Amino acid sequence: MSRHVAVITDSTAYLPQRAMERHSITAVPLTVVLGDEALEEGTEVSARCVAEALQKRRPVTTSRPGPEVFAAAYRAAAEAGAEGIVSLHLSSEFSGTYDAALLAARDAEVPVRVVDTGMVAMALGFCALAAAETADAGGTLDEAVAAAQKRAQGTAAFFYVDTLDYLRRGGRIGAAQALLGSALAVKPLLQLEDGRIELREKVRTASKAIARLEEIAVERAGGSPVDIAVHHLAAPDRATELADRLRERLPALEELHVSEVGAVIGAHTGPGLLGVVVAPK
């Protein structure tokens, strides 16, 4: 971890392992429950296992880390020399992870700033990287928090799902409830808005929806320096093709990450997910 400020996030940030190691970022795991078995995301259960379980209509749920897990992470950071900790987490609209982190922070040995980024996946990951880069450069705890919050304010996430059924089952569609019923036949494009999943557009076919997802990402990126993440679940070819097209169309593109989401997000979106995170520098 950095000498003075440690950065802790959770497993739904889906940061590349190399980036986590380079910046000494710690990710606290959420839990996926398959049937009656509770498994840690990232170490004990894969997104592919979750996708197969969903396709077989096996019960799949998720749960937050307990405050004691965060307390252990904060203690380890302090013992490693951190004088302050920034703890960045997925939207509190999706999970109680933020609340668990807050509880643990009260009794931490060093100051802990817990931030509800309103984000998830690499939208959260880019916030963690911003905080870590600031800390690596000698920034204070407040400066690291401010860097993460600024990155969150400029970051947008858009995604396509083959069906809303998995989001409906998990109660994660929020204002997109209006899409249920007959509208389940359309291909929805969704976005993160104020920490919630909102409907952006309804498209009739998968191919048109994916083409529109590309256009939205290009429009959002504009001509400014930008980092992009393309996520998928059990759709690697779609993700690679989309990433290649974005690379061609965005001359100011700096970093481009392509990855499969983890088990927690996969449990709520189902196979076929394709998402794009646009994070201006």
Side-chain angles (χ1 to χ4, degrees):
M1 294 183 176
S2 63
R3 183 176 180 184
H4 298 295
V5 178
V7 176
I8 292 175
T9 185
D10 60 66
S11 59
T12 68
Y14 303 139
L15 281 160
Q17 188 62 34
R18 290 192 305 266
M20 292 182 65
E21 292 171 356
R22 183 168 66 250
H23 297 289
S24 299
I25 298 171
T26 298
V28 173
L30 275 71
T31 299
V32 175
V33 182
L34 294 177
D36 58 359
E37 190 175 14
L39 304 165
E40 281 190 359
E41 180 176 42
T43 58
E44 298 178 337
V45 61
S46 69
R48 199 56 57 92
C49 290
V50 166
E52 292 173 358
L54 290 170
Q55 289 169 332
K56 295 175 181 177
R57 302 193 73 82
R58 290 178 57 197
V60 181
T61 58
T62 60
S63 64
R64 72 177 192 179
E68 69 280 0
V69 181
F70 281 108
Y74 298 156
R75 186 164 53 251
E79 290 173 354
E83 298 172 5
I85 299 168
V86 54
S87 194
L88 303 158
H89 301 292
L90 80 162
S91 172
S92 60
E93 295 283 344
F94 300 153
S95 167
T97 300
Y98 168 74
D99 293 328
L102 276 179
L103 287 172
R106 295 175 183 173
D107 299 320
E109 302 169 29
V110 297
V112 179
R113 296 282 299 278
V114 182
V115 180
D116 175 2
T117 65
M119 298 292 171
V120 73
M122 272 300 292
L124 167 59
F126 284 131
C127 295
L129 286 174
E133 288 164 359
T134 299
D136 290 346
T140 65
L141 178 58
D142 285 344
E143 288 170 340
V145 170
Q149 291 174 327
K150 182 177 180 180
R151 200 83 200 269
Q153 290 169 0
T155 296
F158 310 97
F159 55 102
Y160 158 84
V161 290
D162 276 334
T163 173
L164 283 171
D165 189 43
Y166 302 110
L167 284 165
R168 177 183 60 79
R169 289 186 212 171
R172 295 305 198 278
I173 5 183
Q177 290 283 350
L179 283 173
L180 295 179
S182 61
L184 283 172
V186 306
K187 298 299 183 181
L189 290 177
L190 307 172
Q191 65 182 24
L192 277 179
E193 188 73 30
D194 296 327
R196 298 185 298 273
I197 297 173
E198 305 282 4
L199 170 68
R200 183 180 177 94
E201 297 176 16
K202 292 181 284 186
V203 187
R204 287 297 177 186
T205 67
S207 60
K208 289 181 179 178
I210 294 171
R212 182 59 186 142
L213 181 65
E214 177 185 337
E215 293 303 323
I216 291 171
V218 170
E219 291 166 7
R220 178 73 186 207
S224 301
V226 67
D227 294 333
I228 297 282
V230 176
H231 288 303
H232 72 92
L233 179 57
D237 292 342
R238 279 180 176 175
T240 299
E241 291 169 4
L242 176 57
D244 289 344
R245 291 195 297 271
L246 291 173
R247 190 180 287 109
E248 291 174 0
R249 298 186 62 182
L250 297 174
L253 178 64
E254 296 199 0
E255 292 186 27
L256 176 61
H257 302 276
V258 182
S259 64
E260 189 165 47
V261 296
V264 169
I265 299 306
H268 295 293
T269 61
L273 164 74
L274 192 62
V276 181
V277 176
V278 182
K281 297 294 282 188

